[in-house]
Amino acid sequence: MKTLLVISNDARLIQAINVGIDASHCRLCHVERSGDAAQFDVGSIHAVLVDAGNDPVGAMATLGQMRQIFPMAPLALLADGGDSTLDEAVWRAGAQQLFRKPLHPARVIAWLDTHDVAAPTKPSPPPSESTVQPTAAPSSPTPDRLGVVGDLGDVIEHGLDPAALTREFLGFIRGVLGCNRAAIYFCAEGDVRLGHPIGISPARLQTFQPTPTTGVVSWLSENGRVASLAQSELKQDAATVAEMTALGIEVAIPIHDEGALVGFAGFDRRVTGGDYDEAELSGLYRAFETFGIALANARSHARLERRDQLSAGTLDSLGTACVVVGSSLELLHINAAARKVLGLLADSTVHDLPPAIASKLFVAIEKSEETETFVQRLGDGDKDWRIRIRRLPDPKQDDGRLALMTLTPIEQTVSPSETDGQSTRELIRAMAEHLAHEIGNALVPISTTQQLLGSGEMDAGTQKELVSVMTQSVNRISRLTGQMQTLSREGLRRVDEFLLGPLLDEAFREAGARVPNCKVGLNRSPNDDGPLVHGERPSLKQLFTEVLLNALQSAPDGSPVEVTVSEVTERNEGFLAVEIGDSGSGFEPETARRATHAFYSSRSVGMGLGLTVAERILELHGGRLEIESEQPVRILIPREPVSSAADQSKTSA
């Protein structure tokens, strides 16, 4: 008999376990506090179950204490079904099993049977020579037993591959039972699909398909135990008998995961025609209950592995140099661009980085301090790189941190007023390089999403996330296309009269949608719909969106963007003056001077065309964009109507 120690202050849980387990199979001991466990002798406890309750962090500490008190006893944690953050922490704490509430006592029994560990006892003193009796040599295991152990080793070898695990485990059980036909079916999303068949003809499989609402699946879901054609009560269920007969199976074993039926295994009679006794059916039930847990773990591992591979592939496909740094300052991933820029290898360490960069990473990880974007000259060339380090939570450690370091080149910028004296070839080269970089980065998430869609295993949450990722990438490319079209235009398509207030509100909402988790508001003065503006409404909306986006990216959370509208006269010409400012640090003198230059940006993302486009739109309207250090951006729009390209063509005609 085994002794299970349960640490919990939930009286109903203790009662449920006590009622559900067989007193002849297992003895239950219970304490409410971990400190009280020390009253038990080390040799008296065979396994320990810790109830996380409402304190998962405290439960991790309790697991550590139990590992010290009962070093040979397997440990298990019982947690709420919705808490997915404990999966990794449980294994690190030394536990072998994670149960989810509500707890089924049969699963505890299956776990105890799986971990057949004899309780350690105090060593006996060595016998004297006079008491030593000759002992017979231990008998060697029979060849049949060795064969079973070898077959089980094949199953364990494929423990992380769901399809291979299913195939090997079914073959192993079939060999132990000595039957011919065997099959595993899985239930998912209102459908029943074949997992793996052995010895069942393709014709039989093609002509019959189990249904989730009647027959075997319905009977197993309702009864929660083995279905056998030898059972008198099953013979009264015509649909279940018909399905099992059509499949050619004698027994159906439920496969559970977290208390839910996820499939079943079917077997026919032994090849000798013999039936299965109660002990064999009970063993099959426990074996496939354990298989359900192993299969869920294998599927979870496969999903994580696939996502890790896609994430690594995504980083490698990016034109931006990226380095992911772990909480122990290990370089978890170095993409191809970063290896080229920093001269690193795939197995390089933080000590291979330039000292200035390594020290910044140390501050970000070890001292938990955010670092400002900084500029560093790298390699033997004369190119400067803008480096940004962002701290990210480590999903594998509750208190761990990761750092994502991105490096983007500070390219030679091109000002629209300086293009006449520059080489056309150099201008085209710079534009092509930036376009390829930006479009390539936008296409990577789309390509990754395409691979995930092809994998076939997605829940509703993943589908929603993929739609969001694809939408962001499409919007990124659409914005870039619009910017290039604006820069290539020679005139306005259409001039209308419209109110400025609603246009500013629309532009602010569009700019806010491009800033993740935007928490910045808008203050307009005056806060009304006026005044009237003459111009091309879509392009002026694009102008204000670009300038407001720049303000939103600079404004601290919680502080509003201030927009002031007034009328001014300069050189006997009337203008609407729109000033847009934020409470951020403002433009540095050098940044203000180069802000409208093509491909110039002080950030690590984007092409640096936003304010270039804004200036071009104002030129087409006969206005001006004024950017000065530590001052709001000033937009001047003429009060007099401007001519569109269509109006100009009519005039010339």
Side-chain angles (χ1 to χ4, degrees):
M1 178 185 294
K2 297 181 180 179
T3 300
L4 171 66
L5 174 63
V6 180
I7 302 175
S8 173
N9 57 10
D10 186 347
R12 290 180 298 178
L13 171 66
I14 301 302
Q15 183 180 7
I17 297 177
N18 204 17
V19 171
I21 64 176
D22 185 356
S24 63
H25 181 79
C26 177
R27 184 168 67 96
L28 180 65
C29 293
H30 165 233
V31 295
E32 294 187 357
R33 298 179 304 172
S34 59
D36 296 335
Q39 64 182 291
F40 299 99
D41 292 335
V42 175
S44 65
I45 300 299
H46 293 78
V48 181
L49 174 63
V50 177
D51 179 16
N54 296 322
D55 185 13
V57 176
M60 294 300 104
T62 300
L63 286 173
Q65 294 173 5
M66 295 304 102
R67 173 57 60 217
Q68 296 292 327
I69 299 174
F70 307 107
M72 298 298 295
L75 307 179
L77 181 74
L78 175 62
D80 290 333
D83 190 349
S84 61
T85 61
L86 296 177
D87 293 355
E88 291 288 343
V90 167
W91 316 130
R92 290 198 304 271
Q96 289 79 26
Q97 181 65 45
L98 173 62
F99 292 114
R100 299 292 187 181
K101 295 181 180 179
L103 179 65
H104 198 294
R107 300 189 65 200
V108 178
I109 296 174
W111 172 61
L112 289 173
D113 290 341
T114 302
H115 294 81
D116 191 9
V117 180
T121 58
K122 295 181 179 180
S124 302
S128 61
E129 293 184 3
S130 60
T131 61
V132 175
Q133 299 293 332
T135 58
S139 59
S140 300
T142 64
D144 288 343
R145 291 180 180 177
L146 288 177
V148 170
V149 172
D151 293 341
L152 185 58
D154 292 337
V155 177
I156 297 173
E157 181 182 357
H158 296 87
L160 297 180
D161 184 337
L165 175 64
T166 301
R167 180 186 67 247
E168 295 296 331
F169 187 77
L170 182 64
F172 170 74
I173 296 296
R174 173 177 174 264
V176 172
L177 294 178
C179 64
N180 178 29
R181 299 187 185 122
I184 286 182
Y185 282 86
F186 293 116
C187 311
E189 301 178 356
D191 189 22
V192 182
R193 62 179 179 83
L194 180 64
H196 184 72
I198 302 177
I200 302 179
S201 66
R204 185 186 293 269
L205 295 172
Q206 292 172 3
T207 57
F208 176 76
Q209 176 67 31
T211 61
T213 56
T214 60
V216 180
V217 174
S218 176
W219 196 95
L220 294 175
S221 298
E222 182 178 347
N223 294 275
R225 50 192 173 83
V226 174
S228 172
L229 290 179
Q231 297 167 341
S232 58
E233 60 178 312
L234 183 66
K235 294 178 181 179
Q236 301 175 8
D237 189 327
T240 302
V241 172
E243 281 195 2
M244 294 178 65
T245 302
L247 281 174
I249 60 175
E250 179 75 15
V251 296
I253 315 297
I255 303 173
H256 291 101
D257 179 40
E258 304 293 345
L261 184 71
V262 296
F264 71 90
F267 302 93
D268 66 353
R269 292 186 178 184
R270 289 188 171 91
V271 292
T272 59
D275 293 327
Y276 305 108
D277 59 30
E278 293 294 327
E280 289 173 322
L281 294 178
S282 178
L284 282 173
Y285 180 89
R286 292 197 299 270
F288 276 95
E289 192 169 41
T290 304
F291 169 74
I293 299 171
L295 184 63
N297 292 336
R299 286 175 172 173
S300 177
H301 176 272
R303 286 193 295 269
L304 291 174
E305 184 178 40
R306 185 164 58 250
R307 290 194 176 189
D308 284 347
Q309 291 172 349
L310 289 173
S311 297
T314 299
L315 288 175
D316 269 335
S317 301
L318 289 174
T320 302
C322 301
V323 179
V324 181
V325 186
S327 55
S328 300
L329 288 177
E330 70 274 22
L331 303 185
L332 299 178
H333 186 82
I334 313 167
N335 75 346
R339 292 196 293 270
K340 181 178 179 181
V341 172
L342 297 169
L344 300 177
L345 301 175
D347 58 350
S348 295
T349 68
V350 71
H351 302 292
D352 298 317
L353 294 172
I357 296 178
S359 64
K360 295 282 188 180
L361 287 171
F362 176 81
V363 170
I365 294 291
E366 296 294 332
K367 298 188 177 182
S368 300
E369 297 179 7
E370 295 288 351
T371 60
E372 298 290 336
T373 300
F374 61 98
V375 176
Q376 177 82 21
R377 179 158 295 185
L378 299 173
D380 299 329
D382 57 354
K383 181 178 290 186
D384 290 333
W385 293 78
R386 183 176 295 107
I387 302 176
R388 181 185 185 189
I389 299 175
R390 296 178 57 193
R391 296 174 65 245
L392 305 170
D394 186 347
K396 295 185 178 181
Q397 298 186 31
D398 295 336
D399 57 349
R401 304 293 295 183
L402 299 176
L404 173 64
M405 179 174 67
T406 57
L407 304 90
T408 52
I410 301 178
E411 302 286 354
Q412 181 179 2
T413 59
V414 182
S415 170
S417 61
E418 300 171 355
T419 57
D420 292 340
Q422 294 186 350
S423 166
T424 302
R425 179 177 298 175
E426 285 299 313
L427 181 60
I428 293 175
R429 184 201 62 79
M431 182 173 294
E433 181 179 346
H434 283 82
L435 281 173
H437 178 86
E438 186 69 9
I439 294 176
N441 284 350
L443 287 176
V444 167
I446 297 178
S447 175
T448 302
T449 301
Q450 182 183 20
Q451 296 179 51
L452 282 172
L453 289 172
S455 67
E457 292 188 11
M458 282 188 300
D459 52 26
T462 303
Q463 291 179 352
K464 184 177 180 181
E465 182 181 351
L466 293 182
V467 170
S468 175
V469 169
M470 292 188 70
T471 300
Q472 293 174 13
S473 296
V474 170
N475 290 341
R476 187 174 178 180
I477 296 176
S478 298
R479 181 192 177 202
L480 177 59
T481 303
Q483 289 177 330
M484 301 307 296
Q485 289 174 340
T486 299
L487 291 175
S488 66
R489 288 171 55 182
E490 294 296 334
L492 302 177
R493 296 187 180 92
R494 176 178 175 178
V495 175
D496 294 315
E497 183 181 69
F498 51 89
L499 293 170
L500 181 60
L503 180 70
L504 288 171
D505 292 337
E506 292 175 25
F508 182 79
R509 286 193 296 271
E510 186 168 322
R514 298 177 184 174
V515 179
N517 303 317
C518 181
K519 299 178 181 179
V520 179
L522 173 67
N523 282 344
R524 281 200 297 112
S525 179
N527 189 19
D528 54 25
D529 289 344
L532 287 172
V533 179
H534 296 87
E536 186 180 83
R537 195 179 192 280
S539 62
L540 286 177
K541 178 183 174 181
Q542 183 183 10
L543 154 72
F544 286 115
T545 299
E546 297 289 358
V547 179
L548 286 168
L549 176 61
N550 189 79
L552 286 174
Q553 292 171 335
S554 303
D557 286 345
S559 62
V561 171
E562 302 286 346
V563 177
T564 303
V565 181
S566 60
E567 296 188 25
V568 299
T569 300
E570 295 187 3
R571 300 175 185 175
N572 298 323
E573 186 177 358
F575 291 90
L576 277 178
V578 182
E579 294 188 352
I580 300 177
D582 58 78
S583 56
S585 58
F587 287 97
E588 297 290 337
E590 178 64 13
T591 303
R593 185 183 71 84
R594 303 168 63 184
T596 60
H597 292 192
F599 312 129
Y600 177 78
S601 174
S602 60
R603 299 182 178 88
S604 59
V605 295
M607 281 190 64
L609 288 178
L611 296 180
T612 308
V613 169
E615 184 178 57
R616 178 57 181 160
I617 292 172
L618 283 172
E619 289 177 353
L620 295 174
H621 283 80
R624 296 198 309 276
L625 179 65
E626 298 179 352
I627 300 177
E628 297 181 7
S629 175
E630 300 181 357
Q631 296 294 324
V633 174
R634 193 165 186 248
I635 298 169
L636 296 176
I637 305 174
R639 293 306 309 267
E640 293 295 326
V642 293
S643 299
S644 66
D647 294 335
Q648 294 175 0
S649 63
K650 291 179 182 178
T651 303
S652 62

